[in-house]
Amino acid sequence: MTQPPPPPPQQPPQGGGFGPPQGQPPQDQPPQTPPPAAGPNLGKAPEPGYGYPQAPQAPQTPPPAAPQNPPQPPAGYGYPQGAPAPQPPQAPQTPPGYGYPGQQPGPYGQPQQAPYGQPGYGQPGFGQPGYGQQPGYGYPQQPTMPYQPQAGQPGGGKKLNAQMLIIVAAVVAIALIIGGGVWYASSGKDEGKQNDTAGQSGGTGGTDDDNGGTTSGKEKAPSDPSAKVLFQVPAPEVKNDSTVVVSGSWLTDKAYVKSGIARIVGYDRDKGGELWKIPLAGPVCQASRHVTDDNLTAVLYQPAMPTKADPSHGCSQIALIDLDAGKRLWTKTVKTGDQLINFDNITLSGKTVAVGSTSGGAAFDVSGKLLWSPKPADSCYDAGYGGGDKLVAVRKCGSYDQRQLHIQTIDPKSGKVISEYKMTEGIEYASIVSTNPLVVAADVGDSAGDGSGISDFFSIDSRTGKLRTRISAPGEQFAARCEGITRVEACNLLAVGNDRLYLPTEEHDGTGKYSQTNEIVAFDLATGKQTGQRADAGDGYTISPLRMDGGNLIAYKRPPYDKGGQVVSISGTGFKETTLLQNPATDAVRDVETSMSPEYSEFLYAEGHLFMSKVYASKRSTVREKEYLAVGFGTS
């Protein structure tokens, strides 16, 4: 196993900020996060500079993108006939920052995507957090253990030499010309049931309609989906050459809430003004994506600010946050003997806050009462939990070379095991995609080969613990990602609803010259087969699931070089697509939008509001660059 790649560089637009003028900041606002600021006219393109490509002479025929490594040949069960395998990203060997040597700007303002790697939550997402975290200043060190294969290296296989790669690329190019695209197998059209809440991949049960599907969602299309920039939050100042975790974002009826450096801030979701802020002793390590009915959530954070001499103080502090009142209700710690336990992940189910680690798991009631903690005599330990509608533990048993994972649905009040599914020995890591219905992802035999952490999905009956079906999802064909090593709930670019699993395909050639595109396809969680439903991104766009909305799927379309992004609703029954939000196509707005990709940032959408935010803050390369922690878009 190789060391995971570093977090992807975030490429901001050149020049100043953008968006409507903002009010003056509160007098007690910490200096590291300046208030939202006014910027240049959105209709004016930023001045060319480093990282900003020159405007093309003929927009309708843009120059080709920079050459990339050719794809690996198709492999694995479930790969469609005649489909070229997409290109796995190559992982840098050292932790780069923005503008690191060799990082070339993407075509027409689109940032070059760094390979997927390890820790850093959403949300994703889910609105989920992004991935690619490297331990370093401001980030707690992870326990020593083998990691997934580095992106671009098939697990257990030999690397192809340059000549062979060229031959493979040529064969794939010819196949594309002859075949005219990618084919997807389909079978079965049974309608299921499931539902979700904002910012989550899995969720609660839906309501059946007369057609066997589910009732429509709450998100309604506005009369005019055209959106404007509501506000932007400048990136906080980071001292030294460091990277600090700023993971966690939530959306309530009144506030957009985002983690900063050692604080959590609530912003007016329409105007961006600060409503409240919660100071913390150290940076946030991980944040739950789930929220209670009364808008409580939970975070893990360090007990002190990192320094060069002591780059991490461990993630020992468990806090319950009231997102309405803007208060930290309590902070708890757990010890083994005299030592504080440093936890790797945190989640929330009902009224229970659960944390997991290599030292075992613990849980608290929202009142602050300890429900359970690691038992020194246990030969197994709870590495992490999946929350939301139910509470599911990933319990590890056995020695390292004979590891077995137990997927346990447990009572969130007592910790009592309700059902259990034992995965095949040798599977080291698993991720909880959804707790209801229960869906688990794993990279079986390190066969994904692309660093996505997924080769297969397991649909499990949470009442009996029996396997319903296993879905093969080759990493070179599908774009969903799960970390699973320390953060068992860190999955993005996928959604579960209607008793289906929704996955985006990897990018492939579109119909236009030099264009790329992809699709979302659905798998039946009872049979494991594709339903035949498919949502096309459209030429030049790439589409990613964000969450479920009742029986509908909410998805984001990342734009081509000359358009703005979109949020769409896809009906669960007929897969009819409705545009909910259309972002501006001006250069300044689009450059910021495309600097925050669904793979490596947190995306939240609700009621005509789209929020994008980063999960890392780092030192800026030059004083000319303007970077943002978060940006909000909204329809009229």
Side-chain angles (χ1 to χ4, degrees), residues 335-562:
K335 290 185 177 181
T336 175
D338 295 331
Q339 298 294 319
L340 287 175
I341 296 177
N342 292 320
F343 291 100
D344 300 320
N345 52 76
I346 187 167
T347 195
L348 191 149
S349 179
K351 299 295 184 180
T352 298
V353 177
V355 287
S357 73
T358 55
S359 298
F364 293 86
D365 185 84
V366 292
S367 66
K369 177 185 176 181
L370 179 65
L371 299 177
W372 68 82
S373 60
K375 298 177 176 61
D378 280 355
S379 58
C380 302
Y381 64 92
D382 289 357
Y385 301 93
D389 198 40
K390 296 185 178 182
L391 187 61
V392 177
V394 175
R395 189 165 178 82
K396 294 192 174 185
C397 299
S399 60
Y400 172 74
D401 57 347
Q402 290 184 316
R403 183 84 71 204
Q404 186 171 42
L405 303 184
H406 297 210
I407 308 301
Q408 300 177 333
T409 298
I410 60 179
D411 184 331
K413 295 181 179 179
S414 65
K416 180 182 177 180
V417 177
I418 297 172
S419 68
E420 179 178 75
Y421 171 72
K422 295 181 180 180
M423 302 192 76
T424 304
E425 286 189 12
I427 298 177
E428 288 293 327
Y429 310 107
S431 298
I432 306 298
V433 176
S434 168
T435 61
N436 184 29
L438 179 52
V439 180
V440 174
D443 187 359
V444 180
D446 298 329
S447 58
D450 64 346
S452 66
I454 304 171
S455 66
D456 296 84
F457 291 93
F458 298 79
S459 175
I460 302 168
D461 188 326
S462 61
R463 295 169 299 175
T464 64
K466 293 182 179 180
L467 181 69
R468 299 175 66 197
T469 190
R470 177 172 168 175
I471 300 170
S472 177
E476 69 270 19
Q477 182 182 347
F478 298 100
R481 299 181 181 278
C482 291
E483 191 256 292
I485 294 176
T486 58
R487 300 172 308 122
V488 303
E489 213 174 19
C491 295
N492 70 345
L493 306 183
L494 76 176
V496 173
N498 305 316
D499 207 35
R500 286 175 170 78
L501 170 66
Y502 298 99
L503 298 179
T505 65
E506 289 283 4
E507 293 182 30
H508 57 81
D509 286 349
T511 57
K513 196 172 184 180
Y514 311 122
S515 71
Q516 293 283 296
T517 190
N518 77 326
E519 299 79 26
I520 291 176
V521 296
F523 288 86
D524 190 307
L525 290 175
T527 66
K529 297 178 180 179
Q530 288 193 33
T531 65
Q533 296 169 311
R534 188 178 79 174
D536 295 319
D539 208 40
Y541 289 90
T542 54
I543 190 169
S544 305
L546 293 182
R547 63 174 176 88
M548 298 302 298
D549 173 38
N552 299 335
L553 174 66
I554 304 297
Y556 170 73
K557 288 187 175 183
R558 185 175 173 86
Y561 75 96
D562 58 347

Side-chain angles (χ1 to χ4, degrees), residues 569-578:
S569 176
I570 302 169
S571 67
T573 51
F575 251 44
K576 179 182 177 181
E577 183 178 307
T578 302

